[in-house]
């Protein structure tokens, strides 16, 4: 870990239990992470390992059952302006144009109209959206919608970006283009990013650090620093060596998931 930068996000002894009518489901168990400012972290693991649950806890949408999370030096007790969230589903207002979607949070903050227009213009240019400023979300491709969603978070200038499989529903070419856009923005703006993905290649391509999580209960199985130069070449030997290592770790957890489903089916 880069000890030169101060801790920006701290997850300390976090547990999350979901109560049902029949039993308690332990989603997260004893999660401990220190994430320094400006680091790009990917949470990786099979479905059901608690990646999104952990991200939602950092976002303040669903607080831990026990343990603490601090972000930007403050205890997380709910959503906050220092943490911007990008969802897979885009979460845009369909009745607003691209520029109005981007401006919305700034208007809520009470920013002066001239400053809002300048910021929107800047972000439209940064994300290659200037020609689409008057379009509505229904008229945009999935990749364009996700660019707008990212621009809307960037407009608020949150130092922390939380991203829940934001490119998961996109085709391969659009996905790679947006990955490169995100890396460019991250390098320019020095955001701290936590990015949830189930794609091993995406995690290696993007991250400084990959946190591999176990199948339920979700714990940290491995915490790996990615010591590969950028931009990364997925065909390179070092890239594929790490891909094989991570693949083995994830497959072990997928097998645990499969075995658990068989066991539960037998009980039923």
């Amino acid at each position: 870990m880069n000890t030169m930068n101060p801790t920006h996000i701290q997850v300390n002894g976090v547990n999350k239990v979901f109560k049902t009518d029949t039993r308690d489901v332990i989603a997260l168990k004893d999660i401990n992470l220190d994430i320094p400012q400006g680091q790009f972290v990917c949470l990786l693991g099979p479905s059901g390992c608690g990646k999104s649950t952990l991200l939602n806890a950092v976002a303040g949408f669903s607080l831990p059952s026990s343990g603490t999370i601090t972000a930007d030096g403050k205890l997380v007790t709910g959503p906050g302006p220092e943490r911007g969230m990008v969802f897979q589903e885009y979460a845009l207002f369909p009745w607003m144009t691209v520029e109005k979607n981007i401006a919305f949070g700034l208007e809520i903050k009470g920013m002066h109209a001239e400053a809002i227009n300048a910021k929107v213009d800047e972000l439209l240019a940064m994300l290659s959206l200037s020609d689409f400023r008057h379009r509505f979300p229904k008229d945009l491709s999935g990749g364009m919608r996700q660019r707008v969603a990212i621009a809307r978070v960037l407009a608020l200038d949150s130092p922390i970006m939380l991203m829940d499989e934001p490119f998961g529903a996109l085709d391969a070419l659009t996905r790679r283009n947006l990955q490169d856009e995100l890396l460019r923005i991250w390098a320019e703006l020095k955001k701290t990013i936590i990015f949830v993905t189930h794609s091993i290649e995406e995690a290696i391509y993007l991250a400084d650090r990959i946190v591999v999580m176990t199948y339920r209960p979700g714990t940290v199985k491995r915490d790996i620093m990615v010591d590969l130069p950028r931009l990364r070449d997925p065909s390179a030997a070092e890239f594929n060596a790490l891909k094989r290592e991570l693949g083995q770790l994830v497959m072990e957890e997928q097998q645990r998931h499969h075995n658990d489903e068989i066991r539960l089916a037998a009980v039923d």
Side-chain angles (χ1 to χ4, degrees), residues 58-83:
V58 176
F61 297 146
S62 178
L63 297 179
S65 302
S66 60
T68 60
I69 299 172
T70 58
D72 205 17
K74 294 175 280 192
L75 183 67
V76 172
T77 57
E82 74 282 358
R83 286 159 285 135

Side-chain angles (χ1 to χ4, degrees), residues 90-267:
Y90 316 126
L92 302 177
F93 297 121
W95 61 88
M96 290 184 181
T97 62
V98 166
E99 65 180 357
K100 289 297 186 182
N101 263 285
I102 297 171
F104 177 78
L106 301 177
E107 292 170 351
I108 293 296
K109 288 175 67 175
M111 185 181 288
H112 190 275
E114 187 174 314
I116 291 175
N117 292 335
K119 188 67 175 178
V120 170
D121 286 345
E122 175 190 343
L123 291 167
L124 288 170
M126 178 181 289
L127 284 151
S128 303
L129 289 167
S130 297
D131 292 340
F132 303 89
R133 65 187 307 147
H134 301 303
R135 300 277 187 92
F136 290 91
K138 67 180 178 61
D139 300 320
L140 303 176
S141 67
M144 284 294 180
R145 290 177 195 169
Q146 199 58 289
R147 287 173 189 268
V148 178
I150 292 169
R152 193 166 67 175
V153 170
L154 291 175
L156 298 175
D157 201 25
S158 303
I160 297 167
M161 290 184 68
L162 308 175
M163 310 186 78
D164 193 0
E165 298 201 54
F167 309 145
L170 304 176
D171 65 85
L173 181 59
T174 302
R175 185 171 187 157
R176 178 51 51 86
N177 287 338
L178 279 180
Q179 288 168 349
D180 288 340
E181 287 282 353
L182 178 61
L183 287 173
R184 179 180 60 82
I185 291 166
W186 169 70
E188 181 179 338
L189 301 181
K190 312 301 183 186
K191 304 288 187 183
T192 303
I193 297 179
I194 304 181
F195 187 107
V196 166
T197 182
H198 64 268
S199 167
I200 294 169
E201 183 169 306
E202 181 169 64
I204 300 172
Y205 192 74
L206 292 175
D208 291 323
R209 175 184 179 190
I210 299 172
V211 176
V212 183
M213 296 184 65
T214 65
Y215 175 66
R216 190 180 305 126
T219 60
V220 176
K221 182 181 180 79
R222 286 283 298 278
D223 191 340
I224 298 173
M225 298 301 296
V226 183
D227 187 21
L228 297 175
R230 302 180 187 277
L231 288 170
R232 293 171 181 160
D233 179 2
S235 67
E238 297 86 354
F239 192 107
N240 281 283
L242 181 54
K243 187 175 179 179
R244 287 190 295 273
E245 179 185 352
L246 289 167
Q248 180 62 38
L249 294 171
V250 173
M251 281 300 298
E252 290 171 359
E253 298 310 311
Q254 287 179 331
Q255 187 60 50
R256 287 186 61 225
H257 185 186
H258 178 68
N259 294 341
D260 194 40
E261 287 183 330
I262 293 175
R263 180 182 60 81
L264 291 173
V267 170

